[in-house]
Amino acid sequence: MASAAEQLASNLNFAAFAKAEDLKKRIWFTIGALLVYRLGTYIPLPGINPDAFAQAFSSQSKGVLGMFNMFAGGAVQRMAIFALGIMPYISASIIMQLMTSVIPSLEALKKEGEQGRKIINQYTRYGTVLLALIQAYGISIGLEGGNGIVNDPGMFFRISTVVTLVGGTMFLMWLGEQITARGIGNGISLIIFSGIVAGLPRAISGTLELGRTGALSTGLILAIIVLAIIVIALIVFFERAQRRLLIQYPKRQVGNRMFQGDTSHLPLKLNTSGVIPPIFASSLLLLPATVAGFSQATNLPAWASTILASLGHGQPLYMIFYAGMIVFFAFFYTAIVFNPKDTADQLKKHSGFIPGYRPGERTADYIDYVLTRITVVGAIYLVLVCLLPEFLISATGVPFYLGGTSLLIVVSVTLDTVAQIQGHLIAHQYEGLIKKSKLRGGKRSR
């Protein structure tokens, strides 16, 4: 108990924080950048009727637009200049990760270090522009097809909409990079985080209003709060959980001296795929209902209408497919971001080995075996975190912001941001110790 208290006190070293001027500047810069982002979510696109669009959006708010609106901080609901948000950049990044695993030339670039990473980032930016152009043009066509949404339809409206939305996405991409470089890090994640958090007060107030009017009982509201706390605790535990593989290095001789072999650990995260599986699964499942709603498909065959109704949000078939897709993407994305063969090759290159396994192919097979087993646990964890709130939402009509995906993103980004701040504090304290040692050394030399 005492050691835990000491660790907590060291993590919350407010005296060190007060002296870390560079960290305070980074935090203020991050806050200012996020305020600029939030301001942009309230600037509407030119040439649209906000009231007509709000009415059209309300009929589709439970589809994929509702999820994109959550990630965009309400910009989709207001059709603001940041309506595309940062999602084209995230999609382009995932596509580039896929391509680096398939295309040998990109895989070689990935292994070139910092220079290769810069080239891949540049390709990602080009991909972001391309995806944003396609999505922005589709949005402009969709807006023109709405009843009274666009004041003056035509080519000029389409061009201005595409330029505005693509420019908004590119600005957010640049802003995220600035937060990463000059702020406290995790720029893209913090932009998504601020968008979700900005909608939480409205969701909470809506839930309390339902309790005031009697639509939700007090006991049910308390159960919602308890469930949210349990889910948050579950996310914290599993996001920090690791399986550490023992790595040993052989003894080495330098001159006439023999040095004992070192030992270290290879940490394997329980949830290597992060928040990607729930996001992909939600997008794919909500897309058919959204497309059908936009097209006003009243002449659909009976079997198609039945399937669409079964795949509606909160339906049993939706839950089954949602869980299955989460499991699939958990394994799929883990296979993309972590290559056991490359890890085994790096260990062999540095003369490291796992006790009981030969360096090379046997080590790669063992790492893959362990990674597969812990990914099973990680996938089950993701399914539980995402489906428990979904059952509650479908049964009680709780606002969408309290879903498992949003809680997963908020908690994960919070943990990463706290780790970044602690890292800056440790670096500041380390620099202070170096300065003190230099001063002492200078005094001794005198």
Side-chain angles (χ1 to χ4, degrees):
M1 183 68 71
S3 60
E6 291 173 1
Q7 184 178 2
L8 181 60
S10 63
N11 290 339
L12 300 176
N13 195 337
F14 295 107
F17 178 78
K19 296 177 182 178
E21 294 296 331
D22 179 67
L23 177 58
K24 286 191 283 187
K25 289 179 182 178
R26 287 178 174 272
I27 291 176
W28 281 116
F29 178 84
T30 302
I31 293 173
L34 294 178
L35 286 176
V36 170
Y37 160 64
R38 291 302 304 154
L39 178 64
T41 60
Y42 286 89
I43 303 176
L45 281 175
I48 66 170
N49 185 341
D51 296 331
F53 177 78
Q55 185 177 359
F57 177 83
S58 62
S59 63
Q60 300 295 328
S61 60
K62 292 185 178 180
V64 71
L65 286 183
M67 189 183 67
F68 287 157
N69 184 58
M70 177 188 68
F71 292 145
V76 177
Q77 183 179 3
R78 295 181 284 271
M79 193 43 64
I81 59 175
F82 291 160
L84 279 180
I86 204 66
M87 295 305 291
Y89 177 77
I90 295 175
S91 301
S93 300
I94 294 171
I95 292 172
M96 282 303 302
Q97 287 180 338
L98 286 169
M99 294 177 68
T100 52
S101 303
V102 176
I103 301 176
S105 58
L106 290 177
E107 188 176 2
L109 274 177
K110 185 179 179 181
K111 296 179 180 179
E112 289 183 5
E114 184 66 21
Q115 188 63 31
R117 187 181 64 83
K118 288 181 179 179
I119 297 174
I120 291 176
N121 286 343
Q122 194 63 29
Y123 289 158
T124 304
R125 295 187 185 101
Y126 294 149
T128 302
V129 174
L130 180 61
L131 290 176
L133 283 170
I134 296 172
Q135 294 179 18
Y137 185 74
I139 288 175
S140 66
I141 297 297
L143 290 174
E144 285 186 339
N147 186 16
I149 294 177
V150 179
N151 297 327
D152 188 15
M155 186 56 65
F156 179 77
F157 170 77
R158 296 179 188 177
I159 294 174
S160 63
T161 299
V162 169
V163 171
T164 304
L165 290 178
V166 173
T169 295
M170 300 310 295
F171 176 79
L172 287 181
M173 183 181 69
W174 174 83
L175 193 66
E177 292 176 350
Q178 294 302 307
I179 293 174
T180 301
R182 302 171 59 187
I184 57 176
N186 297 327
I188 302 300
S189 299
L190 281 174
I191 288 176
I192 299 176
F193 168 85
S194 63
I196 297 174
V197 171
L200 282 175
R202 180 182 297 178
I204 293 172
S205 64
T207 304
L208 295 178
E209 180 64 20
L210 290 174
R212 189 187 67 84
T213 57
L216 291 177
S217 64
T218 304
L220 185 56
I221 294 177
L222 292 175
I224 292 171
I225 296 173
V226 171
L227 179 62
I229 295 173
I230 293 173
V231 171
I232 290 172
L234 195 67
I235 293 172
V236 172
F237 175 79
F238 278 94
E239 289 299 317
R240 290 303 185 195
Q242 294 179 346
R243 169 69 188 275
R244 296 185 176 184
L245 302 181
L246 179 64
I247 306 296
Q248 289 187 348
Y249 295 91
K251 296 179 181 180
R252 55 192 177 93
Q253 185 173 359
V254 180
N256 295 326
R257 298 184 62 184
M258 180 68 71
F259 291 88
Q260 184 67 29
D262 295 329
T263 60
S264 64
H265 292 88
L266 174 65
L268 299 177
K269 286 191 65 177
L270 198 65
N271 179 29
T272 308
S273 58
V275 299
I276 297 299
I279 293 175
F280 270 31
S282 300
S283 302
L284 290 177
L285 281 175
L286 294 174
L287 189 60
T290 303
V291 172
F294 266 126
S295 62
Q296 301 295 325
T298 56
N299 297 323
L300 286 175
W303 62 269
S305 301
T306 303
I307 292 176
L308 285 175
S310 300
L311 289 175
H313 195 268
Q315 297 298 319
L317 190 62
Y318 170 87
M319 299 291 189
I320 294 172
F321 274 100
Y322 189 33
M325 286 185 176
I326 288 175
V327 173
F328 169 77
F329 283 119
F331 280 92
F332 180 74
Y333 196 70
T334 299
I336 292 173
V337 299
F338 190 93
N339 190 334
K341 188 177 184 302
D342 290 345
T343 304
D345 290 341
Q346 288 295 322
L347 288 175
K348 186 177 181 180
K349 181 179 178 182
H350 294 89
S351 302
F353 64 94
I354 298 176
Y357 297 91
R358 286 184 178 181
E361 187 176 350
R362 289 291 303 277
T363 299
D365 291 341
Y366 176 70
I367 294 174
D368 182 64
Y369 169 73
V370 174
L371 187 65
T372 302
R373 293 178 66 187
I374 64 175
T375 302
V376 171
V377 181
I380 295 173
Y381 142 71
L382 287 176
V383 170
L384 288 176
V385 166
C386 294
L387 284 190
L388 281 176
E390 288 293 334
F391 283 122
L392 187 63
I393 291 170
S394 61
T396 62
V398 177
F400 186 69
Y401 276 96
L402 296 179
T405 305
S406 57
L407 278 176
L408 184 63
I409 293 173
V410 169
V411 177
S412 299
V413 175
T414 301
L415 291 174
D416 291 340
T417 303
V418 171
Q420 290 278 350
I421 293 175
Q422 290 178 356
H424 284 293
L425 281 176
I426 292 171
H428 174 75
Q429 292 174 346
Y430 182 71
E431 290 174 0
L433 290 174
I434 291 177
K435 289 179 181 179
K436 287 181 180 179
S437 63
K438 286 183 178 180
L439 289 174
R440 291 172 182 173
K443 290 179 180 180
R444 288 174 183 173
S445 62
R446 290 176 186 175

